[in-house]
Amino acid sequence: MTREKRMEPPRLSLVPPSSEDSEIASADAAEREQTGDSRHSGNVAALPFADHREKLRILEALLFAASEPLDESTLKGHFADEDDISGLMEELRAFYAGRGVNLVRVAGKWAFRTADDLSYLLERYAVQERRLSKAALETLSIIAYHQPVTRAEIEEIRGVTTSAGTIDILLETGWVRLRGRRRAPGRPVTYGTTDSFLSHFGLESIKDLPGLAELRASGLLDGNLPPDFAVPEPTDVAALMPDEVPLDDIEEDEEEASAQDEEPEAEDDEAGTDIASLPDEEEPDKP
């Protein structure tokens, strides 16, 4: 007679997780964190980094949808007063540093631009622009480095007469603007550069223009320069300088002057009417 075997429950043993399993678990956790797993949405939303990531997303959306560069004061209007917009923008710029689109700062404002090393891909879509003449480039350079500057001062620096059409072209491009008028006989108009000038040439401020050493290194200046030759420090102060007056003030002065010129004529007309209205036998008193 055979002995019946007793049924014994299987024995379970705990196996320590391998390194491969740990890596898989860590990857799953990181993926859930990036995608925002709905099962943990309540907990993730309460964490500080979730709010920080949301702020970066808001900045991305604003800059991507904007038709022109945005300054930090404009972006600040979408956040609380205690939010560090400058720090967020620097973090966002670092994030896009190695991508096909870079976040750059031009004219003190932020904008997305195609990476410089990939610009050749977009050459077929670029609009063919008319090249400026040598006279226009020289005039633009003088305005950029010497602003505020008048037409007479531009001609003195260039050594030749500057036609009105040259300055008109620069005004049409939007790179040059009328600042005001000089406190001098004739009240000549003063010229300066615009934010469009900085944006076109990729400059954060007018002070980023190349100096004497950089111009020499690039071959744009002749090596035989006078010993006292120097490149002025460019400045672009939005407010008028002490020797400038607003354009509107000059227009008001001209209107007042024209009104004063018309007043004596009216008096003469009245006097003439009185004389003509006298009877034929009467004559005005003579001295």
Side-chain angles (χ1 to χ4, degrees), residues 71-191:
D71 54 14
E72 293 184 2
S73 60
T74 302
L75 298 171
K76 184 72 173 177
H78 300 272
F79 296 88
D81 295 338
E82 62 272 10
D83 291 332
D84 183 13
I85 301 300
S86 299
L88 291 172
M89 295 304 301
E90 291 296 337
E91 183 177 350
L92 200 60
R93 173 159 63 175
F95 177 76
Y96 278 94
R99 294 177 173 264
V101 176
N102 299 149
L103 181 61
V104 297
R105 188 180 178 93
V106 292
K109 301 178 182 179
W110 294 94
F112 281 117
R113 295 289 175 85
T114 305
D116 293 338
D117 58 332
L118 299 178
S119 59
Y120 69 93
L121 297 173
L122 305 179
E123 289 181 355
R124 67 179 65 180
Y125 306 107
V127 178
Q128 186 66 30
E129 298 180 354
R130 185 177 60 179
R131 301 178 67 89
L132 291 177
S133 63
K134 181 180 179 181
L137 288 174
E138 291 177 355
T139 303
L140 179 62
S141 301
I142 293 172
I143 294 175
Y145 279 94
H146 295 267
Q147 59 184 309
V149 62
T150 64
R151 179 179 173 182
E153 293 169 346
I154 295 173
E155 295 176 348
E156 182 180 357
I157 295 172
R158 290 189 64 213
V160 295
T161 303
T162 301
S163 64
T166 300
I167 297 180
D168 290 341
I169 291 175
L170 297 177
L171 291 172
E172 291 176 1
T173 59
W175 296 348
V176 171
R177 65 184 177 93
L178 302 177
R179 288 179 51 94
R181 291 183 180 272
R182 185 82 74 199
R183 295 181 185 272
R187 300 293 178 89
V189 176
T190 56
Y191 300 94

Side-chain angles (χ1 to χ4, degrees), residues 262-285:
E262 294 175 357
E263 289 178 358
E265 296 178 359
E267 294 176 357
D268 293 341
D269 293 341
E270 293 177 358
T273 302
D274 293 338
I275 295 174
S277 61
L278 292 175
D280 296 338
E281 63 274 13
E282 296 182 6
E283 295 182 358
D285 296 336

Side-chain angles (χ1 to χ4, degrees), residues 4 6 8 13-14 16 28 47 54 63 91 104 110 121 133 147 156 183 208 212 214 217 234 277 282:
E4 295 180 359
R6 295 181 179 180
E8 296 181 356
S13 60
L14 298 177
D28 292 341
L47 296 175
E54 186 66 17
L63 293 169
E91 183 177 350
V104 297
W110 294 94
L121 297 173
S133 63
Q147 59 184 309
E156 182 180 357
R183 295 181 185 272
D208 293 335
L212 179 59
E214 295 172 316
S277 61
E282 296 182 6

